[in-house]
Amino acid sequence: MLEVKAPEEVLRLIRKEFRPIGRTETVSLPEAQGRVLAEAVKAEEYVPDFDRSTVDGYALHARDTFGCSDAVPAVLNLMGEVRMGEGTSIRVPRDSCVYVPTGGTIPKGCDCAVMIEYTENYGDGTIGILKPCAPGMNLVFRGDDVFPGKTVLEAGRLLEAQDIGALAAVGKTAVPVRPRLRVAVISTGDELIPADRKPGPGQVRDVNTPMLKALLKEYGAEPVDFGIIEDDEKTLREKAAAAAEKCDAVILSGGSSAGVKDAACRIIGELGELLLHGIAIKPGKPTILGRTGNKPLIGLPGHPVAAFTAAKLFVLPLLARLEGRTMQDYPVRAKTRESMNADHGRMQVNACRLESVDGHLIATPVRSKSGLITQLAGADGYFLIDRDCEGLPAGTEVEVYRL
Ligand code: AMP
Ligand code: MG
């Protein structure tokens, strides 16, 4: 009889005894959603590939505007306009400007853009600038988002919508991912009937099969239904062996405690090696873990609440281990690394990275100018600054949600 283990010991055991499955396949972006990236993706290009304006307005030389104001505008010659989706060969001399739309190319010579709201068109080929500009203002520079060699996404990341966006931005339209795990689901018990039948005396509907299949799908694995098996050790052993042959992991539910008819433990021991029988949690104590090679054989308690709890707490991390998937529980509490300004009057959503420093989670905001999708993809989560709040001092505790 194996001793009952604490939950954290079980997670350690999982890491120690199982390793990521090496198989990968290359899929196109639509199929990559919800899959685990098998290798880090590095950019081979600059994004953006040219200096861009983040505002509708005029590109100009910042120093031509120093000291200007509403009362004494800087008056600049209008050299023409940049069109969306086109480059520009205009060279802008001093005391001149060019109209640029949001996202338009910044012409050579200019070092900032001013919003149209802070200008006045005099209609005679000159533009008045009403506010001094700083170099770099309202620009995204070539390579600000990514540059060749920069890691866009780390291996092990579960690819979600923002990651698909980042991959599209760098032109990676096919990526190596882990194959979806095929997980066998077997329910055992003489009393069980399929959920679409009416129970007779002493019978109960099989809850675990549909529930565990749904949990596996929600997680991103492919459940394989092996049906309901009666409490017959020989039949169960044959089914479990066939399941282990076909699938990456096997989940049995029911028959996991020490009753006369509770065969799961013996069967798992015979098919492979028993690693664990009993976890110190309530509900979910009679949980079994074994393996044949790198394939987990899991015995869950029959009681549906216990089966769900143990599956959520231990089976999903186990599957994540097999996929090399990096996982984090959300929401989590973390402290901000630096002080943050907020836009008063609007709720501010701050994408952030999370790291553990001396056992505390630290949230570092991802500084993102408009449109830098890979920075969002590199984030671990986000926290909110309320619209009534003007900012947060460094070290403020925030709640970080999963992106
Ligand atoms: P066991 O782990 O086989 O001793 O079952 C414990 C309790 O869970 C018993 O009341 C079973 O009837 C019930 N049970 C076992 N498997 C299932 C299942 N698949 N769906 C619903 N209830 C189940
Ligand atoms: Mg039973």
Side-chain angles (χ1 to χ4, degrees), residues 346-357:
R346 288 201 280 174
M347 186 172 76
Q348 188 163 300
V349 182
N350 307 279
C352 65
R353 287 177 199 282
L354 286 173
E355 52 182 316
S356 181
V357 178

Side-chain angles (χ1 to χ4, degrees), residues 85-334:
E86 292 179 12
T88 177
S89 55
I90 304 175
R91 287 199 82 89
V92 182
R94 290 290 303 273
D95 295 317
S96 304
C97 65
V98 166
Y99 173 76
V100 276
T102 304
T105 309
I106 295 292
K108 289 249 163 8
C110 298
D111 61 2
C112 71
V114 61
M115 283 170 87
I116 201 140
E117 289 86 337
Y118 300 117
T119 67
E120 201 175 335
N121 190 336
Y122 298 126
D124 62 353
T126 64
I127 303 290
I129 312 296
L130 312 178
K131 219 179 132 170
C133 304
M137 199 175 87
N138 297 327
L139 300 193
V140 172
F141 292 102
R142 179 175 196 239
D144 251 358
D145 199 350
V146 291
F147 45 83
K150 183 180 171 189
T151 300
V152 178
L153 294 171
E154 300 282 358
R157 188 168 177 94
L158 177 69
L159 297 173
E160 297 181 308
Q162 64 273 27
D163 308 311
I164 302 296
L167 291 168
V170 297
K172 299 275 181 190
T173 52
V175 286
V177 295
R178 303 277 183 194
R180 274 195 200 288
L181 293 174
R182 286 166 56 81
V183 182
V185 179
I186 306 174
S187 287
T188 78
D190 290 335
E191 74 283 20
L192 301 178
I193 55 158
D196 60 359
R197 293 231 320 259
K198 197 149 182 68
Q203 295 185 320
V204 292
R205 289 200 176 96
D206 173 15
V207 172
N208 293 349
T209 302
M211 178 179 69
L212 293 171
K213 282 169 70 181
L215 184 68
L216 289 166
K217 271 171 109 172
E218 220 173 72
Y219 167 87
E222 187 190 323
V224 184
D225 189 343
F226 278 78
I228 300 168
I229 314 290
E230 71 265 37
D231 284 317
D232 174 66
E233 199 161 326
K234 185 166 171 291
T235 318
L236 192 55
R237 188 184 302 110
E238 281 166 13
K239 275 280 175 191
E245 194 67 37
K246 268 187 150 174
C247 297
D248 299 304
V250 180
I251 303 177
L252 294 168
S253 81
S256 70
S257 43
V260 186
K261 292 194 126 192
D262 292 334
C265 201
R266 274 194 302 280
I267 288 171
I268 288 174
E270 282 165 23
L271 289 181
E273 179 192 354
L274 199 59
L275 300 170
L276 164 81
H277 190 186
I279 304 177
I281 51 164
K282 184 180 176 178
K285 182 172 173 239
T287 296
I288 305 164
L289 179 60
R291 65 154 173 220
T292 156
N294 194 42
K295 283 185 189 179
L297 305 170
I298 301 143
L300 294 179
H303 195 289
V305 174
F308 178 82
T309 308
K312 190 97 183 167
L313 265 57
F314 305 107
V315 177
L316 298 190
L318 175 51
L319 299 182
R321 175 67 177 152
L322 293 183
E323 286 185 306
R325 189 192 286 205
T326 44
M327 285 239 293
Q328 180 83 59
D329 285 331
Y330 293 85
V332 292
R333 296 194 79 78

